[in-house]
Amino acid sequence: MTLRILKGHIVQTPSFGALDIAENAFLVTENGKTVGIFNALPDRFGDGEIVDCGDRLIMPSFADTHFHAPQYPMLGMGMDLPLLDWLNTYTFKTEYEFKDKDFAREVYKRLAAELIANGTTRVCVFSSLHREATIVLFEEFEKAGLTGYAGKVNMDRNSGELLTETTEESEKETLRWLDEVSDFRRIKPVLTPRFTPTCSDRLMAFLGRLAKERDLPVQSHLSENTSEIAWVRELHPDCSQYWESYAKFGLFNDKTMMAHCVYSDERERKALKDNGVWVSHCPDSNVNLISGTAPVRRMIDDGVKVTLGSDIAGGAQLEMYRVVTAAIRASKIKRIETDWNDAFLTVAEAFWLGTAAAAPFFGAKGGFAAGEPLHAIVVDDASLPPPARRLSVIERFERLPYLMTKDNIVAVYSDGKKVK
Amino acid sequence: MTLRILKGHIVQTPSFGALDIAENAFLVTENGKTVGIFNALPDRFGDGEIVDCGDRLIMPSFADTHFHAPQYPMLGMGMDLPLLDWLNTYTFKTEYEFKDKDFAREVYKRLAAELIANGTTRVCVFSSLHREATIVLFEEFEKAGLTGYAGKVNMDRNSGELLTETTEESEKETLRWLDEVSDFRRIKPVLTPRFTPTCSDRLMAFLGRLAKERDLPVQSHLSENTSEIAWVRELHPDCSQYWESYAKFGLFNDKTMMAHCVYSDERERKALKDNGVWVSHCPDSNVNLISGTAPVRRMIDDGVKVTLGSDIAGGAQLEMYRVVTAAIRASKIKRIETDWNDAFLTVAEAFWLGTAAAAPFFGAKGGFAAGEPLHAIVVDDASLPPPARRLSVIERFERLPYLMTKDNIVAVYSDGKKVK
């Protein structure tokens, strides 16, 4: 039994709108799992190793619930192009390079290190369609200390010359990939139909059966932009809305993470809620690709389970604290668009979206709940602009998403282990 | 005569939409002024000191045409508050602290260093109403190598208890401040009525006369949000639009920098154009304070002289390369709002806004024009994500505003001198 005790200012957002602060308090962990938070250290923990974080902030680490790992090499590029040109000029060509395992290892090793350095410890991530590169992703992400889900992409139509696989190949490679990753402990497989237009009915049906038989999670894209929605309507005239093209194959339930949902109207939001589907809101990507402004606050108010995704490389920032501010900005844009009717997201609310909100998707309780493996960052804000007076811990917390960089993140704990 | 020659990939945006690239070229300067750009070094410059920047990019440095220096201590704070609460809880209290010269020196020294570190070399900046702290600002900014305009703020009504000055004080202190800064070479005074609601008619008339007599530039705020516009309408029932409350006092001409112009309609945009008034578009601030989305691309198309401002601390980012991306995002939001009718800003167009567009306001030609003092940054992008193939210089340039940090800026030249 290993007792480790972090001492410092403990800040967390355990539920939407809540902001719990314990100053100069003790976060006790036993074998990497949280025991509790104490203002004074109980005698029974007297033997523990105390990590004194001094005046620093101890906060939950981030969860990035939607991004494309093989698009990391093109981060910040092609932002002047319309979506289809962007896909053809950059995205498909870049993902194609992951046929090369060595290139994949170089990129995924670097990406994993950047994620950890920036305080992201939970991920739900798209690989490319390449089985071997996907195994490399599992290896490098797990080695770096990341946890969560990663998926080999399935795409057997409408995908251009470079990236199409046949339905048979897609099925076979998926099964082989699942066999090959069965021993990973922290990164687990998630079935990943790229999106409805790139997956035949037969492939979708196969994935739906597989999800059910093996109790696997699913990730895909939903209602990101208007032309995509029109395309799905053409492909599935039997579906009155986009989400039904997933639902009819058993790919729309409480283990499903759907990215974007920019154009999910009241009916689609109700379907998301009723089916317990998770939404990954990707505010930076939605602006960069001129997709639209997602009704993020409205979705939350409607009871949809919303989380945050960097969506690199549609998003240009993998730093989830910056995605937190992008979500705030998206909600403020929506407030302007609705003539100041829709509420905006506060810093605490958006921080919750980027941390605790996603924990149940990963089978955990949010924040520093007792019994949960520790997922935390320690932040030193001494290098930030000198304030006019002594700031409260709340104020220090509130400016972090806007101002911090990875240099301020002095320690990262993932699944109970110190990984930075 | 000192010849200094920078060798590297020279990238500039000399006019709206233009992107000039000279790879492995020579930027020749004589006594700090640009002579020209050469693909091969002419013999007559054979004696010059060559600064070999290798594979790095040599680009124009940034101009920040609107920000509040005394709000730097509250950067990123109070973002959940409505504008008036934000002003009363943070802004006025923070600016009040600049009654203390020592505090002012600590903040302005730090701010000046951050601006230079991030590649900003030209500024048009608000101080507080305090004359002494404003002198400190001149001293610290000039010492750090910044150039441009700074102004003691005038505000003799509607400013709360902490910051109001009487009209007499405001006039007297302004004249004394102008005397005291007459010897500064690189930072010059700009008259700074805070905005119409905080300046009496008498004070505005005084400032208008002073601007004319001494040929001084002017900076203020215009049409930032709807309640402010309604307030000005009440205060100046004789003015059919906000801009007229400046124009009638001689504070609206080609030496005037007006921040925001979020709600400038066709008529106000025409007034801006016809009077040669400069606009400082502050996209980050406009979202944070839920002001609205300025029609930035529309203003440019209408022939208005648009530049970029960080507007800290309504803006939460003093890094002008990030404000460049915020301007792109604002233009994309406007494109969404106009049902994809308004064009968005490309990276090159927005980079121009943050660099060359503002040069004439500072009495210079944009970019690396011959005869102009060198304002440049040297950028090392080797630490950015590893691309899938060798990138062109255009691609390297395009991802910089999204990805670079001050760590990538390895050298800064301001007014011909190396300042970082």
Side-chain angles (χ1 to χ4, degrees), chain A residues 386, chain B residues 72 98 102-116 136-137 139-141 143-144 146:
Chain B
Y72 183 56
F98 287 77
D102 294 338
F103 178 67
R105 192 168 303 279
E106 181 197 347
V107 172
Y108 291 152
K109 189 189 187 81
R110 171 75 176 277
L111 172 57
E114 277 296 303
L115 288 165
I116 290 292
V136 170
L137 188 158
E139 290 167 355
E140 294 300 330
F141 274 37
K143 203 184 296 173
L146 290 159

Side-chain angles (χ1 to χ4, degrees), chain B residues 87-297:
Chain B
L87 282 171
N88 290 320
T89 309
Y90 284 99
T91 315
F92 290 160
K93 283 184 185 164
T94 305
E95 290 199 13
Y96 173 67
E97 297 299 330
F98 287 77
K99 67 187 186 312
D100 175 351
K101 268 178 65 173
D102 294 338
F103 178 67
R105 192 168 303 279
E106 181 197 347
V107 172
Y108 291 152
K109 189 189 187 81
R110 171 75 176 277
L111 172 57
E114 277 296 303
L115 288 165
I116 290 292
N118 282 288
T120 296
T121 63
R122 285 178 166 126
V123 299
C124 183
V125 52
F126 279 53
S127 177
S128 58
L129 59 71
H130 310 95
R131 177 180 45 78
E132 288 189 320
T134 306
I135 306 291
V136 170
L137 188 158
F138 273 67
E139 290 167 355
E140 294 300 330
F141 274 37
E142 186 154 305
K143 203 184 296 173
L146 290 159
T147 70
Y149 300 112
K152 173 209 158 351
V153 168
N154 297 99
M155 43 201 297
D156 69 342
R157 65 174 183 181
N158 298 323
S159 309
E161 275 174 30
L162 297 176
L163 285 180
T164 300
E165 51 186 4
T166 65
T167 311
E168 294 71 21
E169 280 166 357
S170 191
E171 294 181 358
K172 210 176 85 182
E173 291 290 284
T174 299
L175 292 172
R176 195 168 158 194
W177 158 62
L178 290 174
D179 283 348
E180 290 177 356
V181 299
S182 60
D183 288 340
F184 284 87
R185 287 189 47 239
R186 294 197 176 84
I187 303 289
K188 297 285 183 184
V190 52
L191 296 180
T192 308
R194 190 171 193 118
F195 70 141
T196 296
T198 64
C199 298
S200 68
D201 285 9
R202 184 181 139 189
L203 183 55
M204 293 285 254
F206 166 80
L207 293 171
R209 283 195 304 275
L210 199 56
K212 191 172 179 191
E213 282 167 19
R214 305 199 184 185
D215 195 25
L216 289 168
V218 171
Q219 63 180 344
S220 197
H221 297 85
L222 181 65
S223 297
E224 180 176 1
N225 71 57
T226 50
S227 54
E228 168 209 21
I229 294 168
W231 194 10
V232 171
R233 195 169 296 131
E234 279 175 34
L235 293 165
H236 290 269
D238 56 314
C239 296
S240 69
Q241 288 195 302
Y242 189 169
W243 64 274
E244 296 167 53
S245 71
Y246 296 110
K248 71 176 174 180
F249 296 112
L251 298 164
F252 198 75
N253 57 50
D254 62 1
K255 299 189 77 170
T256 305
M257 179 65 73
M258 282 293 171
H260 303 302
C261 302
V262 171
Y263 291 97
S264 295
D265 64 3
E266 200 174 334
R267 183 172 179 274
E268 190 161 277
R269 291 199 297 270
K270 187 170 186 310
L272 287 163
K273 187 194 171 197
D274 291 348
N275 289 277
V277 171
W278 294 82
V279 170
S280 180
H281 171 49
C282 304
D284 191 30
S285 168
N286 294 340
V287 181
N288 290 335
L289 301 180
I290 323 183
S291 304
T293 306
V296 50
R297 178 69 201 231

Side-chain angles (χ1 to χ4, degrees), chain A residues 79 110 284 329 332 383, chain B residues 110 284 288 329 332 383:
Chain A
M79 290 300 172
R110 172 77 175 276
D284 191 29
R329 290 186 173 99
K332 289 179 172 179
S383 68
Chain B
R110 171 75 176 277
D284 191 30
N288 290 335
R329 290 186 174 99
K332 289 180 172 178
S383 68

Side-chain angles (χ1 to χ4, degrees), chain A residues 73 75-77 79-80 90 110 263 284 287-288 290 329 332 340 344 346-347 383-384 386 391 395 403, chain B residues 73 75 77 79-80 90 110 263 284 287-288 290 329 332 340 344 346-347 383-384 386 391 395 399 403:
Chain A
L75 195 67
M77 289 170 63
M79 290 300 172
D80 294 346
Y90 284 100
R110 172 77 175 276
Y263 291 96
D284 191 29
V287 181
N288 289 336
I290 324 185
R329 290 186 173 99
K332 289 179 172 179
W340 281 258
F344 60 86
T346 66
V347 175
S383 68
L384 299 185
L391 298 182
E395 289 173 317
L403 303 188
Chain B
L75 195 67
M77 289 169 64
M79 290 300 171
D80 294 344
Y90 284 99
R110 171 75 176 277
Y263 291 97
D284 191 30
V287 181
N288 290 335
I290 323 183
R329 290 186 174 99
K332 289 180 172 178
W340 281 260
F344 61 85
T346 66
V347 175
S383 68
L384 299 186
L391 298 182
E395 289 173 315
R399 68 176 185 167
L403 302 188

Side-chain angles (χ1 to χ4, degrees), chain A residues 51-336:
Chain A
V51 181
D52 191 348
C53 302
D55 193 40
R56 294 167 179 166
L57 280 69
I58 301 164
M59 320 200 302
S61 58
F62 298 100
D64 188 344
T65 61
H66 181 69
F67 64 103
H68 296 265
Q71 294 176 21
Y72 183 56
M74 48 177 281
L75 195 67
M77 289 170 63
M79 290 300 172
D80 294 346
L81 298 175
L83 181 62
L84 283 183
D85 291 346
W86 179 78
L87 282 170
N88 290 321
T89 310
Y90 284 100
T91 314
F92 290 158
K93 283 185 185 165
T94 305
E95 290 199 12
Y96 173 68
E97 297 298 331
F98 286 78
K99 67 187 186 311
D100 175 350
K101 267 178 67 173
D102 293 338
F103 178 67
R105 192 169 303 283
E106 181 198 349
V107 171
Y108 291 152
K109 188 188 186 83
R110 172 77 175 276
L111 172 58
E114 277 296 302
L115 288 165
I116 290 292
N118 283 288
T120 296
T121 63
R122 284 178 167 127
V123 299
C124 182
V125 54
F126 280 52
S127 177
S128 58
L129 59 72
H130 310 94
R131 178 181 45 79
E132 288 189 322
T134 306
I135 306 291
V136 170
L137 188 157
F138 273 67
E139 290 168 355
E140 294 300 328
F141 273 38
E142 184 154 307
K143 203 184 296 174
L146 289 159
T147 70
Y149 300 111
K152 172 207 160 351
V153 169
N154 297 98
M155 45 201 296
D156 68 343
R157 65 173 181 181
N158 298 322
S159 307
E161 277 176 28
L162 297 176
L163 286 180
T164 299
E165 49 186 5
T166 64
T167 310
E168 293 71 22
E169 278 167 356
S170 192
E171 293 180 357
K172 208 176 86 184
E173 290 291 283
T174 300
L175 292 172
R176 192 165 161 196
W177 158 63
L178 289 174
D179 283 346
E180 289 177 355
V181 299
S182 60
D183 287 341
F184 285 87
R185 286 190 48 241
R186 294 195 177 84
I187 303 288
K188 296 286 182 184
V190 53
L191 296 180
T192 308
R194 188 170 196 120
F195 70 142
T196 296
T198 63
C199 298
S200 68
D201 285 9
R202 182 181 141 189
L203 183 56
M204 292 287 254
F206 166 80
L207 293 172
R209 282 195 305 274
L210 199 57
K212 190 171 177 191
E213 282 167 20
R214 305 200 185 184
D215 195 25
L216 289 169
V218 172
Q219 63 181 346
S220 198
H221 297 86
L222 181 65
S223 298
E224 179 176 2
N225 71 57
T226 51
S227 55
E228 168 209 21
I229 293 168
W231 194 11
V232 171
R233 194 169 298 131
E234 280 175 34
L235 293 167
H236 290 269
D238 56 314
C239 296
S240 69
Q241 287 196 303
Y242 190 168
W243 64 272
E244 295 166 55
S245 71
Y246 296 110
K248 72 175 173 182
F249 295 112
L251 297 164
F252 198 74
N253 57 49
D254 63 1
K255 299 190 78 169
T256 305
M257 179 66 72
M258 283 290 171
H260 303 303
C261 302
V262 172
Y263 291 96
S264 296
D265 64 4
E266 201 175 333
R267 182 172 180 273
E268 190 161 278
R269 291 199 297 270
K270 187 168 185 308
L272 287 163
K273 187 194 170 198
D274 290 349
N275 290 278
V277 172
W278 295 82
V279 171
S280 181
H281 170 51
C282 305
D284 191 29
S285 168
N286 294 340
V287 181
N288 289 336
L289 300 180
I290 324 185
S291 303
T293 306
V296 51
R297 177 69 200 230
R298 185 66 61 97
M299 283 193 279
I300 297 166
D301 291 347
D302 285 353
V304 177
K305 295 185 292 190
V306 182
T307 62
L308 290 188
S310 68
D311 192 25
I312 64 168
Q317 311 170 91
L318 65 72
E319 302 87 349
M320 286 303 295
Y321 41 89
R322 222 58 102 215
V323 176
V324 164
T325 70
I328 294 170
R329 290 186 173 99
S331 73
K332 289 179 172 179
I333 294 291
K334 208 71 192 171
R335 183 163 169 77
I336 293 165

